[in-house]
Amino acid sequence: MSAGPEGAPLLAQGLVRSFDLEPAVDGVDLAVGRGQVHALVGLNGAGKSTLMRLLLGMVAPDAGRALVLGQDVTAAPPALWRQVGHLVEAPFAYPELTVRENLCAAGRLHGLEPAAAREAADRLLGDLALDPWADRRSRVLSLGNRQRLGLACALVHRPAVVVLDEPTNAMDPAGVLLVRRLLEVEAGRGAAVLVSSHHLDEVARIADRISVLHRGRVIGVLDPSGVDLERAFFATVYADEAARTGAAT
Amino acid sequence: MIEAALAVEQLKLRRSALVRTTTALLVLGVPALVAGLSAAATRAAPGSALAVKAGALGAAQGWPAYLGLVGQALAVAALLGTGVVVAWCFGREFTDGTITSLFALPVSRAATATAKCAVLTAWGLAVVAAVPVVAVLGGLLIGLGAPGADALAPGLRAAAVGALSVLLAQPVGLAASAGRGPLPAVGALLLVVVLTQVVTALGAGAWFPYAAPGLWAGAGGPQAADGVRALHLALVPLVALIGHVATATWWARAQVV
């Protein structure tokens, strides 16, 4: 299920952000509806992570607005973030804390009371198959399991808006399956999910909508049920490159 | 939501190996060092190289001299020890990459920074309060005998000097945040220690908050200690307060770039 752009829980309106005069995000409009998994695909440096950081208020836009549940994130009250979960760049995994302690800490910081945080931690330990490591320090986890922990920490409070940057990074096939199932569950309960990935096969399986980001701009959408997503992706990117080259000459 | 931030920061501090090591070094290491020096000063043959060197460092017989030396050692050790922990507590969020996890939360970043300052200050004060107690045990072990009433004032002064040094370490959090890692903050801390020596040598020590506790403890001799007034020492909590406010403000405005 998806809402129209105006009522979308996660909305980018003409977002622009440059670093050292180099545009990282260059006028992006994007809407993620309730119950929708919206995938962002693009080459390295396309602007996916910067767009997510803008939507989460981690960087301020040079122009445009990022709206979460109808509120501009640059002026959002702290309580708004109670309804948002994210995994961007490094996972929430303090190496000196156990896996369970990390989950409880994430729950507390997302607004859960201590008892609710413990209960949610137990639930997520099962959901992400982290039970065997529950009482081990997170420094001993493999990269894939650290990523699972980060994902669990992002979802511990059942957020209405979920933003995940490369959530399957370093995961084995079993982990990838878990993520896919988890995102289906999140969308099924009505969360708006924005997820970035390099893996076109993977996003084709989980996404309701796929936006192609290239050089900081959304240059097209892909049909998740399309037969050759990779070919369609590169055709979109090359067409954009050709248009830019043509415009420059 | 500050309760949640306090609970999480307190847990991270409690689980940290660096914090445990620093606690042990300050609580056990400082009294052990001073007790060793004092024992050397009193037990080595008079005029021997060991006795002369220990004496030059201020070690002498009796509880007041012994606890005075504890205060002098604590002035430097508490600043460096707690400064390193403060640098780690703030800087690790950047080097570990966990800073992104502290954005987009109902706990504001200013609340997180304030919680860090609060738990660091509470930990540091608890540690320096324990040092004179352990130092008394050390004094008993080296045969100073039962402490009399004359031990109370230097013992309290040692704890107070330690507390002032803990407060002086607080602005290190701003250096770790602005430098986005613990190392720039440790560098700044060492620079402050060097600067303190220079300012003291120039004779303006009492007015320089980083020099005042050490001078008050007697590091510059009895005359310099007498020259340190309450007003000089009152600047120290002000430095900590400015450090806390500046750090929280920095965190409130921070971006992930």
Side-chain angles (χ1 to χ4, degrees):
Chain A
M1 185 174 76
S2 66
E6 290 312 312
L10 189 59
L11 197 59
Q13 292 180 329
L15 278 177
V16 175
R17 172 70 197 214
S18 298
F19 294 109
D20 299 326
L21 301 177
E22 188 69 33
V25 168
D26 192 10
V28 169
D29 294 297
L30 192 88
V32 186
R34 196 170 170 275
Q36 185 185 59
V37 177
H38 191 137
L40 277 178
V41 296
L43 303 173
N44 287 334
K48 303 185 295 292
S49 296
T50 303
L51 176 58
M52 290 183 155
R53 287 191 270 162
L54 283 162
L55 288 165
L56 293 164
M58 293 179 184
V59 290
D62 297 329
R65 294 198 305 167
L67 298 158
V68 170
L69 300 168
Q71 301 204 53
D72 190 323
V73 298
T74 56
L80 171 76
W81 299 114
R82 202 182 285 259
Q83 301 183 68
V84 178
H86 68 85
L87 168 56
V88 175
E89 293 168 17
F92 187 111
Y94 288 95
E96 70 273 25
L97 304 186
T98 66
V99 169
R100 191 190 302 277
E101 285 171 340
N102 268 298
L103 269 165
C104 285
R108 293 298 315 277
L109 293 178
H110 281 106
L112 298 181
E113 292 300 320
R118 282 193 295 273
E119 195 178 309
D122 286 340
R123 171 172 53 83
L124 265 304
L125 284 170
D127 286 352
L128 278 152
L130 286 166
D131 280 321
W133 295 276
D135 297 311
R136 304 278 299 274
R137 302 269 173 121
S138 75
R139 72 162 56 91
V140 305
L141 295 180
S142 66
L143 277 178
N145 280 335
R146 275 170 61 83
Q147 193 73 356
R148 283 192 202 198
L149 173 57
L151 190 61
C153 289
L155 303 175
V156 68
H157 55 303
R158 295 190 193 276
V161 174
V162 178
V163 178
L164 306 171
D165 191 10
E166 308 279 356
T168 55
N169 253 357
M171 280 189 189
D172 60 16
V176 174
L177 274 175
L178 269 176
V179 171
R180 194 189 304 162
R181 204 183 67 211
L182 212 59
L183 293 190
E184 282 167 4
V185 170
E186 292 301 307
R189 65 171 180 77
V193 181
L194 180 65
V195 58
S196 75
S197 181
H198 290 298
H199 304 294
L200 295 170
D201 287 348
E202 177 189 310
V203 298
R205 289 193 175 96
I206 57 173
D208 301 302
R209 187 179 175 84
I210 304 173
S211 291
V212 181
L213 201 66
H214 186 61
R215 294 203 193 190
R217 286 196 284 181
V218 175
I219 59 167
V221 294
L222 302 179
D223 176 7
S225 59
V227 286
D228 195 344
L229 220 53
E230 193 173 84
R231 186 187 293 268
F233 169 75
F234 280 110
T236 309
V237 170
Y238 291 148
D240 183 67
E241 281 292 314
R244 284 171 193 262
T245 309
T249 52
Chain B
M1 290 302 297
I2 186 86
E3 303 84 14
L6 282 169
V8 171
E9 291 305 327
Q10 184 259 120
L11 178 66
K12 281 152 68 177
L13 209 65
R14 208 150 40 89
R15 291 279 184 271
S16 160
L18 174 69
V19 172
R20 279 200 297 272
T21 306
T22 308
T23 303
L25 281 173
L26 288 174
V27 173
L28 303 175
V30 169
L33 180 71
V34 176
L37 278 174
S38 296
T42 55
R43 292 184 185 177
S48 68
L50 184 59
V52 170
K53 283 177 183 171
L57 286 167
Q61 203 159 13
W63 281 102
Y66 168 73
L67 289 172
L69 196 55
V70 169
Q72 289 174 40
L74 207 48
V76 180
L79 175 65
L80 288 175
T82 54
V84 167
V85 171
V86 171
W88 167 80
C89 181
F90 283 94
R92 63 85 54 96
E93 304 289 0
F94 299 91
T95 48
D96 289 356
T98 43
I99 185 68
T100 54
S101 302
L102 300 175
F103 276 74
L105 291 176
V107 176
S108 69
R109 289 186 304 286
T112 296
T114 304
K116 282 180 182 289
C117 292
V119 297
L120 286 165
T121 305
W123 163 77
L125 293 179
V127 166
V128 296
V131 171
V133 177
V134 176
V136 168
L137 297 176
L140 292 171
L141 277 175
I142 61 169
L144 291 183
D150 62 344
L152 187 62
L156 289 175
R157 184 178 288 206
V161 166
L164 291 167
S165 293
V166 167
L167 294 178
L168 287 170
Q170 299 306 307
V172 171
L174 180 64
S177 306
R180 293 178 182 263
L183 285 181
V186 171
L189 187 63
L190 295 177
L191 194 66
V192 164
V193 172
V194 172
L195 195 63
T196 301
Q197 297 296 316
V198 174
V199 172
T200 306
L202 292 174
W207 285 107
F208 187 56
Y210 284 87
L215 289 174
W216 188 48
Q223 203 177 348
D226 290 343
V228 178
R229 305 275 172 237
L231 179 62
H232 300 135
L233 299 176
L235 293 177
V236 172
L238 196 62
V239 167
L241 184 66
I242 291 169
H244 285 178
V245 171
T247 307
T249 306
W250 189 94
W251 272 61
R253 295 178 179 176
Q255 295 189 45
V256 180
V257 289

